Amino acid sequence: MVSAVYFCDGRGKPILSRRYRDDIPLSAIDKFAPLLLQLEEESSAIPPCLNHDGIQYLFIQHNDLYVVALTTSLTTNVAQVFAFLHKLMEVLEEYLKSVEEESVRDNFIIIYELLDEMMDYGIPQITETKMLKQYITQKSFKLMKAVKKSKAAPRPPTEVTNSVSWRAPNLLYKKNEAFLDIVESVNMLMNQQGQVLRSEIIGQVKVKSKLSGMPDLKLGINDKGIFSKYVEGDGDPVATTITEGKKKANIELEDLKFHQCVRLSKFENEKIITFIPPDGAFELMSYRLSMPVRPLIWCDVNVQVHSQSRIEIHCRARAQIKKRSIANSVEILIPVPDDADTPAFKYTHGSMKWLPQKNAILWKIRSFTGGKEYSMSAQMGLPSINGLEKPKVKRPVQIKFQVPYFTTSGIQVRYLKITEPKMLYKSYPWVRYITQSGDDYTIKLNT
């Protein structure tokens, strides 16, 4: 249970606060800055939890701000507090676009209103941005000043007082549809010989709901360790099977995170994902997989130094995916020495572009079919070197791509049941799979 939430500047000095309980002194936050300074002098790594005089300081850093939650209880759910602080930043970014010290000072009225609605007596309440935006807007303070006496002040929507605070009960659609996307981002570090040095998969299950009433959804996934007992339908006549198949893959999902609409008790006890979805788009679930992955797009880059201050770059790209799969929007960013100029390109497919501001060559391939191999070469002037000196390029080759209808982990939706007991309408679930490069899909060049 949180006693207070403070916004502090980069030095740890408070600039805005909201107190929910009176069990901590007003001067408690003054100890935060000296504690930070002491820890910075002792170690470069600062823990996000500090204890001083029986008060717990739980904080996150966002831009030039520290957002601090204070509590006196040792039984406080620390994970819940940090989840709330991160969610608070997400909500504020929806309102303020950029959350930093200046924007906090300029919009303190909106922040106070949000803090009052998102937490009550130190317990998180309404954290869904769509619900908050129905009655708290950036212009609400100005509108309240100009409102006429004959008009009543805006009231919170009735759904915030329901047990399902993230969804309005009176939604109605002509065609009831649920769109589910499984998006996996592959992060990988390789050497020039194609050996994988590090790899991981970051997965997201995204849902876009266009369903009437208060539908109840049940999702089945083919994870043997978590969902294998429930991957087949249970004979319910309202079940909609997305993909048939009896083969079960052994997928061990790590760092599972769910949207607040998921019934965690049901998942913990029976390993079933059931939920009443918010209206519109949201992230239902995220996960991480640390597993060896074969490079999907691989490049062999070779740099040759010639006399008369000239270098030549050769690149061979290969799509190491199934032949029936296609990688779309492939971009290969090849770094070159800082003073390289006057490029001349030869390539078998796609398009080439010289990016002097990034000191790199960009090779774009709109459609890369599995099993195919393409090549390119570039000659560039390098006036600052002699014929014996080899230029050094420390930056790696960066690759971007998207492969639809495919997941690297093999995760697959087995069924999606949609039930609305009052309306009993016909629903249409849609599932899409996408594998794409993550923020760190790179090839390390030999120097």
Side-chain angles (χ1 to χ4, degrees):
M1 188 177 292
V2 174
S3 299
V5 173
Y6 285 85
F7 286 79
C8 302
D9 59 20
R11 296 172 297 175
K13 299 294 183 181
I15 57 178
L16 186 149
S17 67
R18 178 63 174 92
R19 292 172 59 87
Y20 299 100
R21 296 167 59 84
D22 297 326
D23 55 348
I24 58 173
L26 293 172
S27 59
I29 192 61
D30 297 334
K31 305 294 183 181
F32 179 65
L35 287 172
L36 276 181
L37 183 61
Q38 180 182 352
L39 287 172
E40 288 176 353
E41 293 175 352
E42 295 176 354
S43 173
S44 59
I46 302 177
C49 305
L50 306 178
N51 188 318
H52 182 74
D53 290 342
I55 298 176
Q56 317 298 322
Y57 297 80
L58 312 176
F59 65 93
I60 62 173
Q61 192 170 8
H62 187 89
N63 294 333
D64 58 350
L65 293 170
Y66 286 101
V67 187
V68 190
L70 272 59
T71 179
T72 57
S73 176
L74 294 175
T75 61
T76 299
N77 188 335
V78 176
Q80 183 188 55
V81 174
F82 282 114
F84 172 80
L85 294 179
H86 285 289
K87 186 64 179 179
L88 175 61
M89 291 298 99
E90 290 180 15
V91 172
L92 288 179
E93 284 181 340
E94 291 289 332
Y95 279 85
L96 311 182
K97 304 304 179 186
S98 177
V99 184
E100 52 192 39
E101 181 180 349
E102 184 178 356
S103 62
V104 169
R105 293 183 185 276
D106 292 342
N107 298 276
F108 65 92
I109 294 178
I110 299 296
I111 296 176
Y112 275 125
E113 291 182 6
L114 290 170
L115 288 173
D116 285 340
E117 297 298 336
M118 295 181 67
M119 181 168 280
D120 184 23
Y121 199 60
I123 301 174
Q125 300 294 318
I126 306 164
T127 58
E128 192 66 30
T129 309
K130 292 180 181 179
M131 295 296 103
L132 292 166
K133 279 195 171 184
Q134 290 191 31
Y135 61 101
I136 297 179
T137 68
Q138 283 183 303
K139 298 180 180 180
S140 59
F141 178 69
K142 296 179 181 179
L143 292 174
M144 289 292 290
K145 293 183 67 175
V147 71
K148 296 181 180 179
K149 293 183 179 180
S150 59
K151 293 184 179 180
R155 294 185 177 183
T158 56
E159 54 267 23
V160 301
T161 60
N162 297 336
S163 58
V164 183
S165 61
W166 54 85
R167 182 181 179 88
N170 55 350
L171 296 172
L172 187 62
Y173 288 94
K174 291 183 178 180
K175 186 177 182 180
N176 293 278
E177 299 175 296
F179 302 86
L180 189 143
D181 289 346
I182 295 184
V183 182
E184 290 189 343
S185 300
V186 180
N187 290 319
M188 184 179 297
L189 175 63
M190 300 162 279
N191 59 21
Q192 281 189 261
Q193 290 71 40
Q195 181 183 2
V196 178
L197 307 177
R198 182 183 67 248
S199 66
E200 69 171 0
I201 300 172
I202 306 297
Q204 295 175 299
V205 180
K206 300 180 179 180
V207 177
K208 185 175 183 180
S209 171
K210 293 186 176 182
L211 300 171
S212 305
M214 296 292 283
D216 203 311
L217 278 67
K218 182 185 291 187
L219 175 64
I221 298 179
N222 67 330
D223 187 320
K224 184 176 181 180
I226 299 177
F227 305 105
S228 61
K229 184 178 178 182
Y230 305 96
V231 296
E232 301 297 337
D234 55 9
D236 193 327
V238 299
T240 304
T241 303
I242 303 298
T243 306
E244 298 291 346
K246 296 182 179 179
K247 186 177 180 180
K248 302 174 184 179
N250 187 6
I251 306 168
E252 296 182 1
L253 305 181
E254 305 171 20
D255 294 343
L256 276 172
K257 296 179 183 178
F258 292 103
H259 189 275
Q260 62 173 324
C261 67
V262 175
R263 299 182 181 92
L264 293 182
S265 59
K266 190 81 170 176
F267 174 77
E268 291 171 358
N269 297 329
E270 303 179 28
K271 305 306 181 205
I272 301 176
I273 300 179
T274 61
F275 58 100
I276 298 176
D279 186 45
F282 67 100
E283 183 181 287
L284 175 69
M285 166 184 162
S286 64
Y287 57 89
R288 181 176 63 87
L289 286 168
S290 297
M291 57 182 289
V293 179
R294 184 187 180 189
L296 303 178
I297 303 293
W298 179 75
C299 295
D300 181 16
V301 180
N302 184 26
V303 179
Q304 297 179 350
V305 182
H306 299 280
S307 59
Q308 299 178 354
S309 301
R310 182 174 62 88
I311 64 170
E312 192 171 348
I313 300 172
H314 298 271
C315 178
R316 218 167 21 94
R318 184 167 65 247
Q320 301 185 147
I321 54 180
K322 295 180 180 179
K323 291 185 178 180
R324 64 175 180 268
S325 297
I326 298 175
N328 298 323
S329 304
V330 178
E331 294 185 2
I332 303 172
L333 191 68
I334 305 172
V336 299
D338 295 347
D339 55 348
D341 58 11
T342 60
F345 301 126
K346 291 182 180 180
Y347 49 94
T348 59
H349 197 77
S351 63
M352 301 293 303
K353 189 176 182 180
W354 163 233
L355 302 178
Q357 70 276 16
K358 293 185 177 181
N359 295 314
I361 297 170
L362 180 60
W363 184 12
K364 288 187 177 182
I365 303 174
R366 181 177 297 179
S367 180
F368 206 160
T369 306
K372 292 286 186 179
E373 183 174 303
Y374 302 121
S375 62
M376 60 76 61
S377 64
Q379 292 190 14
M380 306 186 73
L382 201 62
S384 65
I385 68 169
N386 55 45
L388 302 176
E389 182 182 1
K390 183 177 180 180
K392 294 183 179 180
V393 180
K394 296 183 179 180
R395 292 170 292 146
V397 175
Q398 298 178 339
I399 304 176
K400 294 182 180 180
F401 59 87
Q402 275 194 352
V403 184
Y405 316 113
F406 169 75
T407 57
T408 308
S409 66
I411 193 170
Q412 194 173 26
V413 174
R414 293 302 186 187
Y415 62 83
L416 180 62
K417 300 179 182 180
I418 302 174
T419 307
E420 217 298 335
K422 293 182 180 179
M423 296 185 176
L424 298 176
Y425 49 72
K426 185 177 181 180
S427 57
Y428 300 89
W430 306 93
V431 176
R432 182 173 59 172
Y433 303 94
I434 300 174
T435 290
Q436 62 187 16
S437 56
D439 296 330
D440 188 21
Y441 192 100
T442 54
I443 299 175
K444 184 179 179 181
L445 297 178
N446 296 332
T447 57

